Amino acid sequence: MNHPFVDGNKRIGHGAMETFLILNGCEIEATVAEQEQIILDLAAGKLTREAFTKWLKDHIVHITR
């Protein structure tokens, strides 16, 4: 809810989340459109933190190097 930037907060948040996951050997298995919609729903308050956490857990896969 605290917005550090005038614009791009959702993109930065999503990018930071993806970077964290990749650095820890994981990635989100969902289309760009699906990821965009889930972030927009979260930001708009249509999705609870718990629901987002469940969605993310259901869409994280481990990547092999």
Side-chain angles (χ1 to χ4, degrees), residues 6-48:
V6 175
D7 191 25
N9 290 288
K10 292 182 285 294
R11 288 185 294 271
I12 293 294
H14 181 267
M17 177 180 64
E18 277 201 305
T19 300
F20 175 84
L21 289 171
I22 289 170
L23 289 173
N24 286 284
C26 299
E27 67 182 1
I28 301 170
E29 189 173 70
T31 66
V32 172
E34 187 177 4
Q35 291 182 54
E36 179 182 358
Q37 190 60 55
I38 204 82
I39 295 297
L40 290 173
D41 287 349
L42 181 63
K46 296 178 183 176
L47 191 66
T48 65

Side-chain angles (χ1 to χ4, degrees), residues 1-2 17 38-60:
M1 294 297 203
N2 294 329
M17 177 180 64
I38 204 82
I39 295 297
L40 290 173
D41 287 349
L42 181 63
K46 296 178 183 176
L47 191 66
T48 65
R49 180 183 297 204
E50 292 77 17
F52 174 70
T53 301
K54 181 184 178 334
W55 180 89
L56 191 57
K57 285 180 180 179
D58 292 344
H59 290 84
I60 288 179

